[in-house]
């Protein structure tokens, strides 16, 4: 296996085990066992547990950032942009559930200065969504409510899907996305 | 100070310190210092850290349960019941922020069989809200969406206010409550 793809495999397995056991409780030895290589060999691919967490958090952040750029540039109404945002959050959570969950919950374990950087990136992302909400209110497409209330209600709804959305609830990703859009976009629309 | 009110003081201080430091990281010795009594005297009022957590979690749960009974019995439309529910969540979070936060985050640290009981009580509470949503859909007052999506979107929005609602945002409790009602109740209404 090429060095790059071995590294990707390590990160993928790490996200699974971090999600199950928690980042702090997972040792590099356990991770090596999971990947099926010697602990010593692990260090040929990755410098530290810290580096793995960085890779996970920033790769998820990078995806959100490219989505929001796409949404900003699209020639759509603000309601459509919001629906598009909900779609991308659901899609990312379905496609990369472990990475999204680790980035959501374990970014606090990043070491400085990466933790500070991560918080800035997240703040920037939030500001760009707030901007869509503000513009939608200015154009009269959305109701006039406090932008922070709108922003964090939206983000709380999207972020915590991972806590309750389980296969045994028998809700398809398409139904989830459609119902969230109905509930949240219509909640803001005038 | 009477024995009962000393116990109440201990629980109130415990909620503050649990929220700040985390339940697991807090020792009975630190709690005694905070309250200003000898660690040994603490045990005259309370058997264990475990008992304090139980008191906090079940007292918050009890408040939610008495609210939902009141809401069920009120002669109101389903939209009004939902607005009432939002009001009570905001009110409880403003009045007892530490207890609500500890119950939200640290119930996982309850020991059995209390943990099992707490989960059952919470499930019962969720079912009663789901029931209001279902009835509102059946009468045509609410849009037809998956009840679990509606329920958990609503609860995620309400539960995680504590993560972002800070005095420096300059949003009054009344504005928070009004805007959440506008966003969420209108999101469900036909």
């Amino acid at each position: 296996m090429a060095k790059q793809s071995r590294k990707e495999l390590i990160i993928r397995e790490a996200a699974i085990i971090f999600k199950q056991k928690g980042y702090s409780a997972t040792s590099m030895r356990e991770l090596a066992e999971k990947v099926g290589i010697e602990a010593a060999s692990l260090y040929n691919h990755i410098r530290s547990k810290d580096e793995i967490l960085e890779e996970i958090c920033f790769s998820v952040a990078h995806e959100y950032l490219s989505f929001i750029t796409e949404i900003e540039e699209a020639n759509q109404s603000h309601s459509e942009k919001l629906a598009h945002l909900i779609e991308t959050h659901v899609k990312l959570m379905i496609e990369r559930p472990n990475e999204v969950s680790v980035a959501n919950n374990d970014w606090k374990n990043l070491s400085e200065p990466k933790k500070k950087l991560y918080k800035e990136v997240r703040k920037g992302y939030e500001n760009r969504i707030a901007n869509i909400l503000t513009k939608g209110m200015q154009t009269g497409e959305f109701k006039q409510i406090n932008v922070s209330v709108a922003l964090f209600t939206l983000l709380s709804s999207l972020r915590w899907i991972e806590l309750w959305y389980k296969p045994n609830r028998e809700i398809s990703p398409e139904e989830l996305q459609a119902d969230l859009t109905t509930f949240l976009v219509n909640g803001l629309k005038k």
Side-chain angles (χ1 to χ4, degrees), chain A residues 20-49:
Chain A
Q20 279 168 352
K21 289 199 59 170
Y23 173 76
S24 304
T26 306
S27 69
M28 285 291 265
R29 179 172 299 273
E30 285 169 296
L31 178 57
E33 253 174 54
K34 191 95 193 296
V35 180
I37 60 176
E38 295 287 322
S41 317
L42 203 56
Y43 293 96
N44 292 331
H45 303 282
I46 210 102
R47 282 193 309 276
S48 60
K49 209 169 76 164

Side-chain angles (χ1 to χ4, degrees), chain A residues 62-115:
Chain A
H62 181 78
E63 292 238 38
Y64 282 122
L65 290 178
S66 56
F67 284 141
I68 192 77
T69 303
E70 204 181 287
I71 291 169
E72 283 166 345
E73 289 170 356
N75 188 15
Q76 292 180 314
S77 70
H78 297 96
S79 306
E80 285 165 339
K81 284 177 194 285
L82 219 54
H84 193 167
L85 183 82
I86 292 168
E87 182 192 342
T88 58
H89 271 256
V90 170
K91 204 170 152 225
L92 196 55
M93 195 204 62
I94 299 288
E95 283 172 4
R96 301 178 64 189
N98 302 299
E99 282 97 333
V100 169
S101 172
V102 170
N104 260 350
N105 296 295
D106 290 319
W107 65 268
K108 294 184 200 80
N109 293 309
L110 285 169
S111 55
E112 298 294 1
K114 295 289 179 172
K115 186 168 160 181

Side-chain angles (χ1 to χ4, degrees), chain A residues 2 32 37 43 58 60 86 112 121 135 139 147-148 155 166 170 182 190:
Chain A
I37 60 176
Y43 293 96
F58 286 94
V60 170
I86 292 168
E112 298 294 1
V121 167
K135 281 188 189 155
T139 59
V147 174
S148 295
L155 288 179
K166 310 241 157 65
E170 295 181 356
T182 300
K190 249 193 187 154

Side-chain angles (χ1 to χ4, degrees), chain A residues 10 13 25 28 37 66 73 95 120 125-126 140 142 147 151 160-161 164-165 172-173 176 179:
Chain A
I10 292 169
E13 292 295 330
M28 285 291 265
I37 60 176
S66 56
E73 289 170 356
E95 283 172 4
E120 280 165 13
Y125 180 70
E126 290 171 359
F142 294 152
V147 174
L151 174 68
W160 299 109
I161 294 168
W164 64 267
Y165 184 71
S172 70
L176 175 64
D179 287 356

